[in-house]
Amino acid sequence: MIWSLIVGAFIGLIAGAITKKGSSMGWIANILAGLVGSFVGQSLLGSWGPSLAGMALIPSIIGAVIVVAVVSFILSKTNK
């Protein structure tokens, strides 16, 4: 369980760096983005490539980028 949270945080951190939104997200948001992104990525793309803690890294990172982009888009529209 702890290992999954660490890997989720790592995936969320990478997704935040790719989308340039990582500095505005905290650790909890990075972990959630990584875990939800892992689920989304593996649901859409399957579980191929290297994996850690039961999460395929490449589909998980792609899914987390999608999640971070969608959430930041929604938040930017609601803040106006």
Side-chain angles (χ1 to χ4, degrees):
M1 180 77 166
I2 301 276
W3 186 242
S4 295
L5 294 176
I6 292 170
V7 173
F10 178 70
I11 291 170
L13 183 67
I14 291 173
I18 290 172
T19 60
K20 307 282 193 267
K21 305 288 183 197
S23 61
S24 64
M25 295 173 33
W27 280 101
I28 303 292
N30 278 334
I31 292 171
L32 288 175
L35 293 175
V36 172
S38 176
F39 175 76
V40 169
Q42 289 184 37
S43 295
L44 295 175
L45 304 172
S47 58
W48 50 272
S51 65
L52 284 172
M55 294 182 242
L57 294 179
I58 296 170
S60 296
I61 291 171
I62 294 169
V65 167
I66 293 169
V67 168
V68 168
V70 168
V71 169
S72 65
F73 176 76
I74 290 170
L75 289 178
S76 70
K77 292 297 180 182
T78 59
N79 287 337
K80 287 185 176 182

